[in-house]
């Protein structure tokens, strides 16, 4: 069994909340690049190994037939060049689909620099394609991976996006047109290896969403693998809390109608590690609260700390049948330990005469974060 960041049989979640199991493996850990943040870099003295195309196909099919997995997540180091490696990734997906009639999910990590024709063929057999941006800024990539640049990674993202749109338009006219990468494309960034602020990271992810209509940007906390002056020292904790806060911010932008500048900006360039970004925004914008849940529009209800998308929809639907009070809100699944301070309903009016710092401390004392034991000092390394 694996985990979300390692190899093996790993669990992931679909947009509708279903948990699915994927076989997550590298085709090879050979690599021609020497990226300081990567354990597979060419200068690292580790054992090298590689699957053949048939071995990956056989492994996937056997696991799928035994109901161990529902799909394949295939990545790779670079054998000798981008085309050589990408051809093998495509061969795996093509064999699974055509020879074994594999109907499971396939996610291919594409290789920047590979020919457009290979990228296009990959999209005909894979459900999702992804191009890793690797680090949030060009300067960070130049520092730790001087052989790479962001332009080479942005180019295939643009090409994939154009092909997705092209095939969709052709499908409207010609029914037999195949579906190209039906689950879209995604990307991933390592965070904590360089000194980017959360503002830098969110700016980059926001740009990727806007320009290339990505389905998801993933964040991966840096795991120290090398003693080097340009890297955090060995033994530095993986920034799990920061990673989680970035995912929460990503969620606020995608599903809660937040503008990135509302969450992080020049005044607040880094996320608060102790509280979630929506609560942090609410404490900085007390003038919007308390929100009357019986009158406020959906957009404003979404901004109440402790209220999720489903809960906000339940509130709007339930109040049509009568006024809501605290008991009814609890039954709707609202996280009242936070929400009660920011709402008005019935005889209850949220706290308005307490300063934000005191309110923040009170909420922290009354709640317990699942990450409380993992607060990382990583941000302070670059201050």
């Amino acid at each position: 069994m694996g985990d979300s960041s390692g190899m093996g049989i790993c669990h992931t979640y679909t947009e509708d909340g279903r948990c699915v199991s994927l076989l997550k493996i590298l085709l090879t850990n050979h690599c021609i690049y020497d990226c300081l943040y990567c354990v597979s870099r060419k200068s690292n003295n580790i054992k090298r190994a590689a699957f053949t195309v048939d071995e990956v196909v056989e492994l996937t099919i056997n696991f799928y037939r035994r109901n161990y997995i529902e799909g394949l997540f295939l990545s790779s180091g670079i054998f000798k060049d981008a085309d050589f490696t990408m051809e093998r990734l495509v061969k795996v997906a093509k064999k699974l689909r055509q020879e074994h009639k594999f109907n499971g999910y396939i996610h291919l990590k594409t290789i920047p620099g590979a020919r457009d024709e290979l990228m296009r063929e990959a999209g005909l057999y894979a459900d999702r394609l992804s191009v890793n941006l690797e680090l949030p800024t060009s300067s960070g990539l130049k520092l730790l991976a001087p052989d790479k640049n962001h332009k080479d990674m942005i180019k295939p993202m643009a090409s994939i996006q154009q092909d997705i749109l092209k095939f969709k338009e052709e499908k409207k006219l010609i029914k037999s047109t195949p579906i190209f990468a039906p689950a879209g494309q995604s990307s991933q960034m390592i965070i904590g290896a360089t000194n980017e602020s959360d503002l830098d990271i969110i700016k980059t992810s926001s740009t990727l969403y806007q320009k290339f209509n990505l389905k998801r940007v993933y964040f991966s906390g840096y795991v120290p693998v090398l003693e080097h002056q340009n890297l955090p020292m060995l033994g530095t904790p993986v920034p799990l809390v920061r990673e989680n806060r970035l995912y929460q911010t990503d969620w606020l932008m995608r599903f809660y109608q937040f503008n990135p500048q509302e969450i992080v900006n020049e005044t607040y360039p880094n996320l608060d590690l102790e509280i979630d970004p929506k609560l942090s925004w609410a404490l900085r914008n007390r003038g919007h609260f308390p929100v009357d849940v019986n009158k406020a529009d959906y957009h404003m209800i979404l901004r109440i700390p402790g209220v999720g998308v489903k809960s906000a929809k339940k509130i709007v639907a339930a109040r049509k049948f009568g006024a809501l009070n605290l008991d009814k809100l609890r039954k709707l699944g609202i996280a009242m330990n936070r929400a009660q301070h920011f709402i008005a309903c019935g005889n209850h009016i949220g706290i308005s005469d307490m300063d934000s710092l005191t309110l923040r401390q009170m909420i922290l004392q009354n709640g317990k974060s699942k990450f409380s034991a993992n607060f990382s000092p990583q941000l302070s390394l670059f201050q």
Side-chain angles (χ1 to χ4, degrees), residues 329-342:
L329 290 176
R330 287 191 182 93
K331 291 178 181 178
L332 292 177
I334 310 301
M336 296 304 296
N337 61 319
R338 281 168 289 162
Q340 63 180 324
H341 306 298
F342 300 93

Side-chain angles (χ1 to χ4, degrees), residues 22-38:
L22 302 178
L23 175 61
K24 185 178 181 182
I25 56 173
L26 283 172
L27 186 63
T28 181
N29 65 345
H30 287 271
C31 197
I32 62 173
Y33 293 112
D34 203 27
C35 308
L36 292 178
Y37 47 81
C38 182

